[in-house]
Amino acid sequence: MLKITDPIIEVRGVCKRVADAAGELTILDGIDLTVRAGSSLAIVGASGSGKSTLLGLLAGLDSATSGTVRLLGRALGELDEDERAALRNGAVGFVFQSFQLMPHLSALENVMLPLELQGGVSTRDAAARARALLAQVGLGERTGHYPKLLSGGEQQRVALARAFVTHPAILFADEPTGSLDAANGRAVIDLMFELNRTQRSTLVLVTHDPELARRCETTVTLEAGRLAASPRIARGGGGA
């Protein structure tokens, strides 16, 4: 069982290799990383440096070639796909650059979906929690709208509400502002850190956005699949 003092994510000697036309390509090489509960971490680096691959390994969406990834106290390499999915269920939230909303579901239904998949929550309670979060992100009047009727910024706010509706222990975000203009990007950043603060979730994100990275307590830089220098420790938390 995970103790309150234990890392929520612990990575030791992780490598990721894939076969290619030349034989084998190393995407990540010897990654060591520790993430404490309630903290915020930005993973930065050039395109192709391995950022999204690392995020996928941390979240248990992919498997390392070698090394160990522990998520919520469990060694992901010892779990099969169903066990990893069960570990993530309710405890992990995701926000992606492409929003990944269900086009045939309304904003309210999209936010309710993780609760329905998790089980143990009545439809009435799930709807109430979803409505409250949509109101918190400024979409209280848009609950019945389908994604195609929402702007990019509004869709990402729905995605944020969906990610936080289960009160996850960890939120993983992959370029969450990459598809947004500057004004909407800043609004989404503010909302993400506000929800992170109020729900006390751990935040791990990949970004090219220096403003977003600066808001995190710690920043690590990937260069050609390796962690570059010592992590930058911010003076404050997820505030200004």
Side-chain angles (χ1 to χ4, degrees):
M1 181 178 294
L2 187 69
K3 298 178 182 177
I4 194 168
T5 55
D6 290 339
I8 199 164
I9 300 171
E10 190 171 19
V11 179
R12 293 292 176 264
V14 160
C15 297
K16 179 65 178 180
R17 303 182 184 92
V18 297
D20 70 354
E24 191 174 61
L25 175 65
T26 298
I27 301 175
L28 295 171
D29 188 10
I31 302 296
D32 292 318
L33 186 64
T34 299
V35 182
R36 299 290 175 183
S39 64
S40 54
L41 169 70
I43 302 170
V44 302
S47 296
S49 60
K51 303 185 301 300
S52 292
T53 298
L54 177 57
L55 194 75
L57 294 179
L58 299 183
L61 299 175
D62 194 7
S63 298
T65 305
S66 60
T68 303
V69 179
R70 300 185 71 87
L71 174 67
L72 296 164
R74 303 285 301 278
L76 296 179
E78 299 174 1
L79 307 179
D80 61 26
E81 186 174 342
D82 289 341
E83 289 171 328
R84 291 197 301 271
L87 178 63
R88 290 192 299 268
N89 187 22
V92 174
F94 295 95
V95 179
F96 301 97
Q97 177 177 344
S98 58
F99 318 137
Q100 296 194 3
L101 300 178
M102 302 296 287
H104 62 285
L105 299 180
S106 68
L108 180 66
E109 291 165 337
N110 265 285
V111 179
M112 289 173 61
L113 186 60
L115 293 172
E116 293 171 335
L117 294 175
Q118 183 181 8
V121 180
S122 70
T123 300
R124 181 177 179 178
D125 287 344
R129 284 168 61 173
R131 287 183 190 279
L133 261 176
L134 284 168
Q136 190 173 350
V137 300
L139 294 175
E141 303 300 320
R142 309 281 275 173
T143 59
H145 287 65
Y146 290 88
K148 66 180 180 180
L149 300 176
L150 301 172
S151 69
E154 288 172 332
Q155 289 185 57
Q156 192 62 300
R157 283 187 274 159
V158 173
L160 276 177
R162 181 183 59 184
F164 278 103
V165 74
T166 59
H167 302 292
I170 307 172
L171 176 72
F172 291 104
D174 193 356
E175 297 286 2
T177 61
S179 295
L180 305 177
D181 59 33
N184 277 309
R186 285 192 296 272
V188 164
I189 290 170
D190 289 342
L191 281 169
M192 184 181 302
F193 280 101
E194 174 63 17
L195 290 168
N196 173 250
R197 182 187 65 80
T198 58
Q199 296 204 14
R200 299 182 180 178
S201 300
T202 303
L203 178 61
V204 179
L205 58 90
V206 162
T207 186
H208 282 99
D209 184 342
E211 179 183 350
L212 180 50
R214 283 193 295 269
R215 294 282 292 270
C216 292
E217 294 174 20
T218 306
T219 299
V220 296
T221 302
L222 276 174
E223 293 180 358
R226 291 177 173 267
L227 288 181
S230 300
R232 173 191 63 79
I233 307 298
R235 294 181 181 178

